[in-house]
Amino acid sequence: MRRLRDGRGTLVVPGEPTGVSVPLEIAASYRARTKGLLGRDSVDGAILLSPASGVHTFRMRMPIDVAYLDRHLVVTAVRTMKPGRLGMPRLRSRHVLEAEAGAMAGWGLRAGVRVAVATDA
């Protein structure tokens, strides 16, 4: 996978019959990853933190879904985290995907699914 840069893109979750395309914010710089979803009341789509192997929800205002992705963008685990929690780092995780709680189940995102990231040029 190519190195990602801060910006916007689309997360493509395969499925029947056509899959799901989700608006994506990419946080690849230290500053963008540190800020993440802090201080937000909602998120339009999802945010991808790269590189990352774990997250926390301290100072967050909402529960979130967290998907851990390996270097091939295969989901290794999906968890829902309430505000004020510390997620344990995942050894094989290279990227972390965050979205509002319940969104990932609606997209069909679960362990073993390989997603794609299309960046806006």
Side-chain angles (χ1 to χ4, degrees):
M1 186 179 137
R2 66 192 179 284
R3 185 160 176 87
L4 296 170
R5 296 178 187 252
D6 290 348
R8 298 211 165 266
T10 304
L11 175 72
V12 180
V13 181
E16 294 297 325
T18 60
V20 178
S21 294
V22 178
L24 183 66
E25 182 179 331
I26 300 167
S29 68
Y30 176 78
R31 181 180 212 137
R33 286 192 317 268
T34 302
K35 184 174 184 216
L37 294 177
L38 295 178
R40 296 189 195 186
D41 292 322
S42 65
V43 60
D44 179 33
I47 183 169
L48 179 68
L49 308 175
S50 179
S53 62
V55 296
H56 67 82
T57 58
F58 300 119
R59 296 188 310 149
M60 285 197 183
R61 299 178 182 171
M62 62 184 173
I64 60 170
D65 281 347
V66 177
Y68 299 90
L69 311 174
D70 69 10
R71 64 185 178 147
H72 301 293
L73 298 179
V74 175
V75 177
T76 60
V78 178
R79 301 285 182 259
T80 299
M81 294 178 64
K82 294 179 183 177
R85 303 288 194 259
L86 176 63
M88 297 303 292
R90 303 281 174 156
L91 292 178
R92 291 185 3 231
S93 179
R94 296 294 177 264
H95 316 280
V96 175
L97 189 64
E98 299 178 342
E100 287 188 28
M104 291 185 184
W107 302 335
L109 201 63
R110 61 190 179 287
V113 171
R114 183 175 183 169
V115 299
V117 173
T119 57
D120 294 344

